[in-house]
Amino acid sequence: NAGVMQNPRHLVRRRGQEARLRCSPMKGHSHVYWYRQLPEEGLKFMVYLQKENIIDESGMPKERFSAEFPKEGPSILRIQQVVRGDSAAYFCASSNSAGGYEQFFGPGTRLTVL
Amino acid sequence: DAKTTQPPSMDCAEGRAANLPCNHSTISGNEYVYWYRQIHSQGPQYIIHGLKNNETNEMASLIITEDRKSSTLILPHATLRDTAVYYCIVRVGANTGNQFYFGTGTSLTVIP
């Protein structure tokens, strides 16, 4: 049973470009969470989605960031017009019920903005 | 914001028990205590969780004080592969959509 998959594992973008990060949850999981980890810091919650719905986006920056989890396919975290401060590790987690007692994390995507 | 306080770092000799403390003095009655760890910038890994009773699984034991204001994660026989950052987190309920608030955790180094 494959775990949470994220791709790409490493992404390099120049300032002003767009970054698209993909997350495939574990089989049977319909709840997805995105977290961001800046260097030397803990993970910060960004957004919680269920299929086709954003449930909680209280941790998302108001501009340039968006997330979706379509009926078919992976969840996408999209960052438009990236800036150097967006450089971080972005982790996706999934669970099989509303929150559930355990969230399973993917390996993360390391975004570097030049 | 994280509602827990942990020491920033600890050392433990290989083969000995590692006891990682966590203070959560403002915990509410419906909040659970969770422990995750992150090995070398990998994705966090679930360890254990509890509400008020002590819990044990194949990885660790969780001891929660009677007033629930603090807890201790115990790794009974630490190995080098247990070197990681350990996060103590409180979260409402076990079946809610609430996110985990990760603090800065405790960096545990297991020494040969």
Side-chain angles (χ1 to χ4, degrees):
Chain A
N1 186 14
V4 177
M5 300 177 67
Q6 293 187 248
N7 66 81
R9 296 291 305 276
H10 300 273
L11 182 61
V12 179
R13 286 286 179 267
R14 297 190 179 278
R15 281 179 296 171
Q17 292 184 318
E18 178 179 289
R20 281 181 179 249
L21 288 63
R22 285 176 287 279
C23 169
S24 296
M26 286 183 67
K27 185 177 181 180
H29 287 192
S30 58
H31 300 259
V32 166
Y33 313 80
W34 285 94
Y35 294 81
R36 176 167 65 174
Q37 186 172 33
L38 296 171
E40 308 302 322
E41 295 187 11
L43 281 77
K44 304 295 184 186
F45 167 78
M46 299 181 74
V47 62
Y48 161 42
L49 310 102
Q50 295 179 25
K51 286 286 188 180
E52 302 183 277
N53 289 300
I54 296 175
I55 307 302
D56 181 355
E57 57 181 348
S58 58
M60 287 278 273
K62 294 291 186 286
E63 299 178 347
R64 302 187 297 109
F65 286 72
S66 63
E68 63 177 8
F69 189 17
K71 186 177 182 180
E72 300 292 338
S75 175
I76 306 290
L77 179 67
R78 182 185 179 201
I79 311 173
Q80 295 177 291
Q81 300 175 338
V82 296
V83 301
R84 288 210 173 119
D86 296 333
S87 294
Y90 292 82
F91 291 97
C92 167
S94 72
S95 66
N96 62 359
S97 62
Y101 73 84
E102 181 176 356
Q103 292 181 9
F104 295 82
F105 282 81
T109 293
R110 270 82 182 162
L111 173 65
T112 300
V113 179
L114 303 178
Chain B
D1 293 326
K3 298 175 63 176
T4 62
T5 303
Q6 299 176 253
S9 64
M10 292 181 61
D11 293 337
C12 177
E14 186 178 18
R16 304 295 292 269
N19 298 289
L20 290 85
C22 179
N23 287 322
H24 30 79
S25 57
T26 61
I27 193 169
S28 301
N30 61 348
E31 288 183 315
Y32 285 69
V33 180
Y34 291 79
W35 284 83
Y36 275 75
R37 72 180 182 183
Q38 188 175 25
I39 297 173
H40 195 234
S41 298
Q42 297 176 19
Q45 176 189 23
Y46 167 83
I47 301 173
I48 199 167
H49 78 288
L51 181 62
K52 55 182 178 181
N53 297 322
N54 297 338
E55 302 288 345
T56 295
N57 62 20
E58 65 278 4
M59 289 182 68
S61 294
L62 173 61
I63 308 299
I64 303 174
T65 58
E66 191 170 345
D67 63 7
R68 304 209 321 123
K69 293 184 182 301
S70 65
S71 61
T72 300
L73 178 74
I74 302 173
L75 308 178
H77 305 286
T79 71
L80 298 179
R81 288 181 294 181
D82 291 323
T83 292
V85 177
Y86 287 77
Y87 296 99
C88 171
I89 306 163
V90 296
R91 192 184 78 164
V92 173
N95 289 303
T96 69
N98 292 344
Q99 65 275 18
F100 287 110
Y101 290 102
F102 288 81
T104 52
T106 295
S107 178
L108 175 69
T109 301
V110 180
I111 302 170

